[in-house]
Amino acid sequence: MAIIVEDGTIVANSNSYVTELELTDYATDRGLTLTVATDVLLLKANDYLETLTFKGSRYTKDQSLQWPRDGVYIDGFSVAVDEIPNDLKTAQLALAVEIDAGNDPLAPVERATKKEKVDVIEVEYMDGTRDSTYAPSYQRYLNKLVIGSNSGLGVVGLVRA
């Protein structure tokens, strides 16, 4: 599938925030060789990004992706409504590399076996474990963009009244 990049101008049918060349360069700069097609990696990474609840609100109701957004502040500075933050772009690139390494956050999580008995068959599974290595390097780029992120995804900031 063709990658159509959202550049902040509400590009029709956009499906990525970065280009395939940007992904190739990102991987090369880190000494990595991608094993999966770059378009597939970018689409999968974007699928995950689109599940997140970002700060602000979509700029128009008809845009293909969640960005551009209105009412977003990063480090006290307003993000222009026609701007795609660099942290979002870098998050998509880092996530694409993680997916290429077999760490897809949208992949089903299977239970790890803790104990297996052959005679009188018995299996015991570990609680809450993943079946693959999980290195969420992309999350640090999303911290300033996602609602409820102060020091990491899933951390809710509370304000005393």
Side-chain angles (χ1 to χ4, degrees):
M1 175 179 222
I3 295 297
I4 303 169
V5 177
E6 174 57 69
D7 61 6
T9 61
I10 318 294
V11 176
N13 301 314
S14 57
N15 55 16
S16 181
Y17 297 106
V18 295
T19 66
E20 292 180 73
L21 180 59
E22 287 173 302
L23 175 56
T24 302
D25 288 348
Y26 181 87
T28 300
D29 289 348
R30 285 152 183 80
L32 303 171
T33 301
L34 299 173
T35 59
V36 177
T38 54
D39 61 337
V40 171
L41 292 171
L42 289 176
L43 291 173
K44 285 184 174 188
N46 195 63
D47 286 348
Y48 175 76
L49 293 177
E50 291 300 299
T51 69
L52 302 176
T53 305
F54 290 103
K55 295 178 180 180
S57 57
R58 290 166 53 108
Y59 187 57
T60 71
K61 68 178 184 170
D62 298 324
Q63 66 194 63
S64 301
L65 302 176
Q66 289 201 51
W67 289 83
R69 298 183 76 76
D70 190 22
V72 177
Y73 289 83
I74 298 176
D75 295 331
F77 297 96
S78 177
V79 176
V81 294
D82 62 349
E83 178 182 352
I84 304 299
N86 285 330
D87 282 340
L88 181 64
K89 294 176 184 181
T90 306
Q92 186 176 7
L93 295 168
L95 180 53
V97 167
E98 290 290 338
I99 292 169
D100 187 63
N103 302 317
D104 185 345
L106 293 178
V109 178
E110 297 180 16
R111 299 181 86 184
T113 303
K114 179 179 180 181
K115 179 170 70 172
E116 191 171 322
K117 186 176 177 183
V118 176
D119 190 11
V120 191
I121 302 169
E122 179 180 329
V123 176
E124 184 177 349
Y125 295 101
M126 300 291 289
D127 295 327
T129 59
R130 295 180 60 94
D131 67 338
S132 63
T133 303
Y134 185 61
S137 62
Y138 56 90
Q139 289 184 347
R140 70 185 178 104
Y141 298 107
L142 294 171
N143 287 343
K144 295 177 183 179
L145 304 173
V146 176
I147 291 177
S149 276
N150 290 330
S151 61
L153 292 179
V155 177
V156 178
L158 300 176
V159 178
R160 187 176 293 239

